Amino acid sequence: MKIEDLKKQIELESNKQLEEVSIIDLVNYLIIFGYESRASDIHFQPTETSINVRYRVDGILYNFFNFKKYLQEEIISRLKVLSGLRTDEHNTPQDGRFKFTIPQENVSFDIRISIMPTYYGENAVLRLLIQKDIYVLENLGFSEIDLKKVKEAIKKPYGMILVTGPTGSGKSTTLYSILKALNTPNVSIITLEDPIEYSISGLTQIQVNPQVGLFFSKGLRAILRQDPNIIMVGEIRDQETADIAVNAALTGHLLLSTLHTNDAPTALPRLLEMGIEPFLISSTVNIVIAQRLVRKLCDKCKKPDKLNAAEARSLLEGIAEDLTLENIKKIRNYEIYKANGCEVCNSTGFLGRIGIFEVLTISKKIKDGIMKRYNSEQIKKIALEEGMSTMIRDGFNKVIQGLTTIEEVLRVIHE
């Protein structure tokens, strides 16, 4: 069903009197609308007089529907039934999961749901876990040089591969892509995740469960007794998990994990802050990948453009280039593209997302810096001297390739 037809069907159903509304059909239409519009999340947000339905598409939330207040309880109840949650509980957060099928599309996917009590009633957020064939390193957006660095790092039989960035920056997709590249019959791969987003054949995946005491640290200890070759830990959050992870990497395991840092060089001092000894960090960390996701320009409607002097100056400042008149003129001659908007991209000008990356390999000079407890700026200086491309530089290269816009790169770097 086309998006416009779905939208009309949803509006038609939601405008009926309560006793005439088919809540089953309405909820189904809303989920199918999310699938067709490429949404990653659906928000059911209650207000004093209504319930708003918002969709996150390519990382941005859009308001699509506003329903009468009397539909709120009915919609939330239906979502609870689908995910096997308690329909009589309204004052406690609940989390669940269910599988949704669209017969017309011959498509099935999992949906993770979180329900939270708020001042105006229960708020529900659905994460659509649509498993497409996206776990391919070559498709993530790495430059040729950075992709080579990553492939060399994952060939090593032991050590740590760290991926950093804020929530929603695509870290899990990068980790899954690395695991898929490593997933062969002659290795044992075990993951410890919170939550498990996608089921991948050939991997042993474990869900963190604090209610029964299965934290990252305890789970990681148990995994080491399961004879793994490769381990993926969803996140290193505390000193205990960091200690076990480093020791696992030191004793012949390849360990993948994430950290919440803004750039790659900051990951190394962060491990120092967690109490890990410098010699252990320099001995175990193979590579650090920092990343963000930028929206891709819609190929159907993007428009060619040129930078003005102010934009050129701002960009040169961002990528730490000389602000000479010659450089400003040079950069203004590049052909770039601007977002426009059409039916294909739902008038946003963007269609899909791509990563911008910063890949830090642990060279001898950086190891020496770790041993001397250098801060992130000092490590970054060495990395830049050795040829590391920053995220903003990688973003600029994608602007020049016509993949995204300068505004989009600056938005995700500074948000």
Side-chain angles (χ1 to χ4, degrees), residues 22-145:
S22 169
I23 293 297
I24 291 174
D25 287 346
L26 180 58
V27 169
N28 285 349
Y29 290 146
L30 288 168
I31 294 172
I32 295 169
F33 186 88
Y35 172 81
E36 295 293 350
S37 59
R38 302 177 299 102
S40 60
D41 304 85
I42 308 173
H43 291 235
F44 295 88
Q45 182 182 35
T47 69
E48 185 178 5
T49 58
S50 63
I51 176 168
N52 292 329
V53 184
R54 306 196 290 169
Y55 293 79
R56 189 178 293 281
V57 181
D58 295 335
I60 306 293
L61 263 178
Y62 297 96
N63 287 321
F64 273 98
F65 303 105
N66 184 269
F67 299 150
K68 296 181 179 73
K69 187 72 175 177
Y70 60 69
L71 289 174
Q72 177 183 318
E73 193 173 327
E74 301 293 328
I75 290 171
I76 299 297
S77 292
R78 174 59 184 163
L79 292 172
K80 286 180 178 178
V81 168
L82 283 169
S83 47
L85 302 178
R86 287 185 56 181
T87 56
D88 61 341
E89 177 57 71
H90 305 288
N91 298 311
T92 303
Q94 296 190 70
D95 295 316
R97 195 179 182 118
F98 63 95
K99 187 172 284 293
F100 189 82
T101 302
I102 308 175
Q104 307 93 309
E105 305 267 356
N106 195 25
V107 165
S108 270
F109 52 90
D110 285 345
I111 296 178
R112 196 172 74 234
I113 180 170
S114 170
I115 294 179
M116 178 72 70
T118 72
Y119 186 72
Y120 291 120
E122 289 174 289
N123 188 90
V125 177
L126 275 57
R127 168 64 59 89
L128 309 188
L129 302 171
I130 299 164
Q131 192 163 358
K132 297 179 181 175
D133 190 22
I134 55 174
Y135 303 126
V136 180
L137 275 172
E138 288 80 3
N139 296 347
L140 299 183
F142 284 107
S143 67
E144 193 176 329
I145 294 171

Side-chain angles (χ1 to χ4, degrees), residues 175-205:
L175 287 176
Y176 281 136
S177 299
I178 292 171
L179 289 176
K180 188 175 178 182
L182 295 168
N183 190 11
T184 59
N186 60 341
V187 296
S188 169
I189 302 177
I190 304 180
T191 75
L192 186 61
E193 305 174 56
D194 184 22
I196 295 172
E197 298 224 348
Y198 300 101
S199 171
I200 299 180
S201 177
L203 272 59
T204 301
Q205 295 174 269

